[in-house]
Amino acid sequence: MADNYTLSGSNSTDGTELPHVEPTLGTPAVDVRGLNQTAGVFTFDPAFTATCSCESDITFIDGANGQLLYRGYPIDQLAANASHLEVSYLLINGELPSRTQMDQFRESITHHTMLNTSLMNFFDSFHYDAHPMAMMTGIVGSLAAFYHDTTDIHDPEHRETFAHRMIAKIPTIAAAAYKHSVGQPIMSPRNNLGYTSNLLRMMFAVPAEDYEVDPVASKALEVLFMLHADHEQNASTSTVRMAGSTGANPYAALSTGIAALWGPAHGGANEAVLNMLNEIGDASNVPEYIEKAKDKNDPFKLMGFGHRVYKNFDPRALVIRDYCHQVLDHYNNQGNERLFDLARELERVALEDDYFVERALYPNVDFYSGIIYAALGIPTNMFTPMFAIARTVGWSAHWMEMMNDPGTRIARPRQVYTGYTQRDYVPTDKR
Ligand code: SDX
């Protein structure tokens, strides 16, 4: 490994020596922080395809080999053996919890699940057909109004309380958004239920009758939430880091992550995949849609396919695809079986097509997740809120890691200016 990298080929930088940053795993980075001072140039990397914004210990992705590690543990081992709260503890604290630590963590989360009643009334101000992601963005941002004066972002204990509050309250907020959208009473959390069982009850129970949580459904959500909990510097996590780097209220910073996740190129893809599968309708239409996806003049993309980092199977998609069988067998839900069979056919045809193979476009985490959510009776517009519940852990962990770093500075990228050179004002009658 070179000690330094020497820039050559452009006259202003010939021979400029640049230090490098050595990772534990993965690709080394050239440290360009001094480049402007030493060589009078910037780096140019729109969409940050080859730019590291920080150092992080939380999650490692090997895109070429389809590997995902949370604090060094492979995602498939965690999905098979852990619980979502156990993985949450790991991502936040860096180590798997002892039994005592897990009991204390679960107790803390359980006793932060309720929302202030005036916040519950906030939902009434949304139109009945407001998208749940719009409601979640607003409600989470408004948590800053409740906890601003009592949150010292420089106090590690306050930072931990923020993370526990957010992990605990985000299912209550998501379920309340769903209840508002279907015109049913908002259900309060129950302290005698586990994390995902509480969510299912808050979504599907009604005051008029008892509700029995299906253990297959709560287990399915545990697996899906673990798989979605973190993914290094993805767009929404980078947004949370950017907002948090200004010293902004962490609840407000986290609401920017929800907004960023909503986009169909990011977490909104799971909703878009189900809409796409329903639009394709039948395996006989697959070739037509594959051609549409390849046509540069057609804006249609194969939703749930492709990834900025994975140029192999997204390991999460493999776990979810295998888990689909278990869930669909349990519910024997013909409609979702049909969708799953269609998704498998779409995957088969795409992965035999040179266009997808040459571009290393494989199914990502969003391709199969919606089929499980649909089998659990979760409506399509609640798929991305499910993603947001899980990714609240990663957003919180990255915000804490950034705020724990004394070297953190406000994030402020530069640009290549391509506008007018200086010119003088022109009076109106001369224009
Ligand atoms: C998530 O970053 C993360 O880690 C995100 C995430 C996480 O956990 O946080 O993993 C979650 O967001 C998963 C991605 C969900 N989005 C989708 O499924 C939407 C469909 N996918 C595409 O929009 C796209 O693949 C992206 C956004 C995922 C990646 O975009 P890139 O890296 O900018 O890739 P690109 O658009 O430059 O594509 C490279 C080529 C292009 O063709 P050429 O210009 O080379 O001819 O591949 C083509 C693209 O047109 N392409 C697709 C395609 N994805 C890329 N063509 C058809 N269908 C697609 N889905």
Side-chain angles (χ1 to χ4, degrees), residues 348-386:
R348 185 188 67 78
V349 175
L351 296 188
E352 289 176 355
D353 188 293
D354 289 346
Y355 173 94
F356 291 87
V357 173
E358 285 161 8
R359 292 167 178 80
L361 301 175
Y362 289 86
N364 60 49
V365 68
D366 293 306
F367 189 60
Y368 287 106
S369 55
I371 291 169
I372 293 182
Y373 288 137
L376 303 186
I378 294 171
T380 309
N381 69 356
M382 281 297 294
F383 289 3
T384 309
M386 294 294 114

Side-chain angles (χ1 to χ4, degrees), residues 25 58-79 87 90-91 223-234 307 309-310 313-317 319-320 365 391 398:
L25 292 171
I58 299 172
T59 291
F60 174 71
I61 303 171
D62 178 343
N65 298 304
Q67 184 187 37
L68 170 57
L69 307 178
Y70 286 168
R71 300 285 189 178
Y73 295 99
I75 191 62
D76 55 329
Q77 290 184 26
L78 292 169
V87 164
L90 171 67
L91 288 168
V223 172
L224 287 170
F225 285 179
M226 283 189 272
L227 294 171
H228 285 81
D230 190 52
H231 215 236
E232 60 133 277
Q233 305 309 318
N234 59 87
H307 199 276
V309 177
Y310 289 123
F313 265 95
D314 181 332
R316 302 167 296 176
V319 174
I320 295 172
V365 68
R391 190 53 56 86
H398 280 274

Side-chain angles (χ1 to χ4, degrees), residues 2-173:
D3 287 339
N4 284 324
Y5 289 80
T6 305
L7 286 180
S8 60
S10 57
N11 54 12
S12 64
T13 59
D14 269 353
T16 301
E17 293 278 309
L18 290 173
H20 77 281
V21 182
E22 191 62 33
T24 315
L25 292 171
T27 309
V30 179
D31 186 339
V32 295
R33 280 175 288 188
L35 197 58
N36 186 21
Q37 284 72 25
T38 55
V41 291
F42 290 145
T43 60
F44 183 60
D45 183 16
F48 311 122
T49 55
T51 292
C52 299
S53 59
C54 62
E55 292 176 284
S56 178
D57 301 346
I58 299 172
T59 291
F60 174 71
I61 303 171
D62 178 343
N65 298 304
Q67 184 187 37
L68 170 57
L69 307 178
Y70 286 168
R71 300 285 189 178
Y73 295 99
I75 191 62
D76 55 329
Q77 290 184 26
L78 292 169
N81 299 292
S83 69
H84 179 58
L85 281 188
E86 196 177 352
V87 164
S88 301
Y89 184 98
L90 171 67
L91 288 168
I92 295 286
N93 297 293
E95 298 295 340
L96 288 169
S98 66
R99 195 176 303 281
T100 305
Q101 289 167 329
M102 191 63 225
D103 292 344
Q104 290 167 347
F105 183 64
R106 186 183 298 108
E107 183 75 5
S108 173
I109 297 299
T110 299
H111 289 88
H112 278 300
T113 51
M114 288 185 70
L115 298 179
N116 186 300
T117 45
S118 54
L119 196 67
M120 298 297 257
N121 299 333
F122 195 168
F123 287 95
D124 292 338
S125 60
F126 286 103
H127 201 249
Y128 75 91
D129 61 356
H131 194 288
M133 284 299 282
M135 290 193 257
M136 288 182 75
T137 303
I139 293 290
V140 169
S142 71
L143 285 174
F146 288 86
Y147 302 116
H148 185 62
D149 299 335
T150 55
T151 303
D152 174 2
I153 60 175
H154 304 294
D155 181 333
E157 284 188 21
H158 284 211
R159 294 200 287 264
E160 184 177 68
T161 300
F162 155 73
H164 288 201
R165 273 192 185 127
M166 274 317 317
I167 293 168
K169 293 182 191 308
I170 197 75
T172 310
I173 291 168

Side-chain angles (χ1 to χ4, degrees), residues 243-292:
S245 75
T246 70
N249 177 287
Y251 301 92
L254 201 131
S255 72
T256 70
I258 298 176
L261 184 74
W262 193 4
H266 191 14
N270 55 16
E271 177 177 358
V273 166
L274 251 289
N275 294 335
M276 174 187 72
L277 292 175
N278 283 315
E279 181 185 336
I280 294 172
D282 183 84
S284 60
N285 297 324
V286 164
E288 172 200 346
Y289 279 84
I290 292 287
E291 290 311 309
K292 279 171 63 70

